[in-house]
């Protein structure tokens, strides 16, 4: 008899599949997961898988996390294992993920440079927005001050005799009536 290893009916289908598929050159780079902050990568993975599927599937997301949490993840095997779920979107997803992991591995912080750049842009946008709001607020306050000054000038222009009666009748909108 023959053993299961010798019988072609029981050959490793993953090995055949690995040989038959073409993978991007980035997949040849090994990743040291100790250098990478996975808690920064996981939200991106969740959002990207949800976007590709059109709905949030916790089973697929957790499965992808599990594949990535191995000591030495293999992008080729990850692609093969996720193809049943993500279909034609699997290779672009794994390629994007692997590029992020390469970038994170090269970064001192363990965070992909793309994420750092996006965060900087977000901070700059928020800062610009805050400055814009502050400028608008200052413009409104300047307008109020000008109106109050004009109102005060109008009151001073009136005769002193009329000013007393006018003051009683016409109080400034900008001064508390307490």
């Amino acid at each position: 008899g023959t053993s299961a290893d010798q019988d072609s009916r029981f050959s490793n289908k993953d090995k055949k599949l690995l040989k038959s598929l073409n993978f991007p050159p980035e997949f040849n780079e090994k990743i040291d997961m100790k250098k990478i902050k996975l808690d920064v990568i996981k939200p991106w993975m969740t959002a990207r898988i949800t976007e590709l599927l059109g709905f949030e599937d916790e089973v697929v997301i957790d499965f992808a996390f599990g594949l990535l949490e191995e000591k030495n993840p293999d992008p080729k095997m990850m692609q093969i294992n996720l193809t049943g779920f993500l279909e034609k979107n699997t290779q672009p997803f794994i390629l994007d993920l692997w590029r992020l992991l390469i970038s994170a591995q090269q970064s001192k912080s363990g965070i992909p440079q793309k994420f750092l750049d996006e965060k900087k842009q977000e901070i700059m946008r928020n800062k610009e927005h805050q400055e814009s709001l502050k400028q608008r607020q200052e413009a409104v306050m300047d307008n109020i001050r000008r109106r109050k000054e004009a109102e005060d000038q109008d009151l001073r222009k009136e005769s002193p005799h009329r000013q007393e009666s006018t003051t009683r009748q016409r109080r400034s909108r900008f001064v508390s009536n307490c």
Side-chain angles (χ1 to χ4, degrees), residues 31-47:
I31 298 294
D32 181 3
M33 294 305 289
K34 294 175 191 167
K35 296 181 180 180
I36 296 169
K37 291 192 176 178
L38 271 180
D39 55 330
V40 175
I41 302 290
K42 285 182 176 182
W44 176 86
M45 289 177 66
T46 301

Side-chain angles (χ1 to χ4, degrees), residues 4 15 17 24 31 38 41 45 48-49 54 58-59 92 106 118 121 123 137-138 153 158 160 162 164 172 174:
K15 284 184 182 178
L17 201 50
I31 298 294
L38 271 180
I41 302 290
M45 289 177 66
R48 189 74 175 112
I49 290 171
E58 289 183 28
V59 173
Q106 294 168 347
E118 287 173 356
Q121 288 176 348
I123 290 169
Q137 184 180 22
E138 287 175 10
Q153 284 178 351
E158 295 176 359
R162 259 189 96 198
E164 290 176 18
S172 173
F174 306 104

Side-chain angles (χ1 to χ4, degrees), residues 121-177:
Q121 288 176 348
E122 179 185 333
I123 290 169
M124 292 301 291
R125 279 192 305 270
N126 286 342
K127 186 176 179 181
E128 289 171 0
H129 180 69
Q130 291 298 324
E131 287 176 12
S132 172
L133 288 175
K134 187 177 179 181
Q135 287 174 350
R136 278 192 261 156
Q137 184 180 22
E138 287 175 10
V140 167
M141 291 304 293
D142 287 344
N143 191 13
I144 291 171
R145 283 185 205 104
R146 282 194 300 275
R147 285 183 186 172
K148 182 175 180 343
E149 287 171 11
E151 189 177 284
D152 288 347
Q153 284 178 351
D154 286 348
L155 288 174
R156 277 186 241 122
K157 286 180 184 176
E158 295 176 359
S159 66
H161 174 32
R162 259 189 96 198
Q163 188 174 353
E164 290 176 18
S165 63
T166 308
T167 305
R168 276 183 255 145
Q169 292 173 358
R170 200 173 127 190
R171 293 262 180 191
S172 173
R173 294 183 304 188
F174 306 104
V175 178
S176 174
N177 291 335

Side-chain angles (χ1 to χ4, degrees), residues 46 49-50 53 55-63 85:
T46 301
I49 290 171
T50 301
L53 291 175
F55 59 93
E56 187 171 343
D57 188 335
E58 289 183 28
V59 173
V60 176
I61 292 168
D62 288 342
F63 181 62
F85 303 105

